[in-house]
Amino acid sequence: MDGNGRWAQARGLARVEGHKAGAEAVRTVVTECRKLGIPHLTLYAFSSENWNRPKAEVSALFSLLLEFLGKEIPRMEREDIRLVVLGDVDGLPLPQRTALRHGMSRTAHCRSMTLNLALNYGGRAEIVRAARRMAEAGLAPGDYSEERFADYLYTAGQPDPDLLVRTSGEQRLSNYLLFQCAYSEFYFTPVAWPDFGVEALHEALRAFTGRSRRFGKTQEQIDAC
Ligand code: IPE
Ligand code: MG
């Protein structure tokens, strides 16, 4: 979710106004994905590098998160949406940590959709953490495999992303789900996140359905299946 700041600045507004509009876009996109039956949605809300932003912006982002959770967790429970946090929850401020833990336990039984919020998340740190956890679990070197490794990531038990969308014109991964995105389709749009609504989502999905995914095979092999 990129471009909140630029969206606001283009309108002569403070960056925080862009983040508020961005939170509205989150509601819209979650609702539409739930309606479409998309079983897993991950939103990159705060990277471990985002701590480098001005203090006031970081605290505005965390206030918005708290407000968002207060409103959305009861709704997620009603709509059978499970909340999962990808990232270092312990490194978040206490009120947000508490609200997230509460949200995760309240929705742990929900099955219609999983909403992953990547918060205080970095892909390389996740990989190092997984390696450390495997070693701590006492796994012998021969037991290491790609599948096993995936069990020690924040996304354990979930499928790899089919589609990765980045808004606002930037075309890079920014330390996002590095292990999991090995075969994801990438979609970049100039649309700023606050303007990413139902229409833009459908356009991204249409683009995805037009892609031919070969997973390293030749087109002939795919056609023969
Ligand atoms: C994305 O918008 C929101 C977060 C990273 C939390 P940005 O704040 O990155 O917006 P730009 O890139 O400055 O426009
Ligand atoms: Mg940005």
Side-chain angles (χ1 to χ4, degrees):
M1 301 184 287
D2 203 3
N4 293 353
R6 278 165 284 170
W7 181 92
Q9 277 156 352
R11 285 159 181 77
L13 302 168
R15 291 178 58 85
V16 59
E17 296 303 321
H19 295 314
K20 283 186 194 160
E24 285 308 315
V26 168
R27 284 181 237 274
T28 307
V29 167
V30 172
T31 306
E32 189 63 12
C33 286
R34 171 75 179 83
K35 216 169 96 187
L36 293 170
I38 291 171
H40 300 269
L41 172 67
T42 305
L43 299 170
Y44 202 176
F46 193 86
S47 76
S48 18
E49 289 76 29
N50 284 148
W51 291 108
N52 295 322
R53 293 194 175 199
K55 248 193 168 139
E57 185 170 342
V58 171
S59 80
L61 281 168
F62 283 123
S63 304
L64 272 172
L65 173 66
L66 212 52
E67 193 187 311
F68 178 84
L69 294 170
K71 282 191 202 150
E72 297 306 308
I73 284 167
R75 205 188 94 181
M76 288 174 69
E77 209 181 349
R78 274 199 311 279
E79 294 180 6
D80 201 35
I81 303 174
R82 177 171 70 122
L83 174 71
V84 174
V85 178
L86 314 182
D88 179 15
V89 181
D90 291 333
L92 294 171
L94 183 62
Q96 284 74 10
R97 208 191 311 161
T98 312
L100 289 164
R101 291 241 161 83
H102 168 77
M104 285 191 278
S105 67
R106 282 261 305 262
T107 62
H109 62 282
C110 298
R111 288 290 172 269
S112 295
M113 177 178 168
T114 297
L115 174 64
N116 294 311
L117 284 185
L119 281 166
N120 201 13
Y121 173 87
R124 287 182 174 178
E126 180 189 31
I127 289 169
V128 172
R129 173 182 175 272
R132 189 183 301 123
R133 292 177 73 224
M134 279 179 97
E136 282 167 0
L139 264 84
D143 294 334
Y144 280 57
S145 66
E146 292 179 18
E147 291 74 20
R148 233 9 188 335
F149 197 84
D151 290 339
Y152 289 84
L153 297 169
Y154 291 117
T155 47
Q158 298 193 46
D160 287 339
D162 288 312
L163 171 66
L164 176 142
V165 174
R166 183 163 185 162
T167 56
S168 209
E170 244 61 75
Q171 301 193 2
R172 53 175 175 266
L173 205 43
S174 297
N175 208 11
Y176 181 70
L177 300 179
L178 296 179
F179 187 89
Q180 298 89 332
C181 283
Y183 280 99
S184 303
E185 292 294 327
F186 287 15
Y187 176 83
F188 300 107
T189 171
V191 175
W193 176 253
D195 290 331
F196 193 88
V198 171
E199 258 321 294
L201 174 66
H202 281 263
E203 204 176 313
L205 295 171
R206 265 196 303 276
F208 172 76
T209 51
R211 302 274 175 95
S212 97
R213 305 184 80 197
R214 292 188 291 274
F215 300 98
K217 295 181 180 169
T218 66
Q219 191 56 49
E220 290 67 33
Q221 285 174 304
I222 305 282
D223 292 343
C225 291

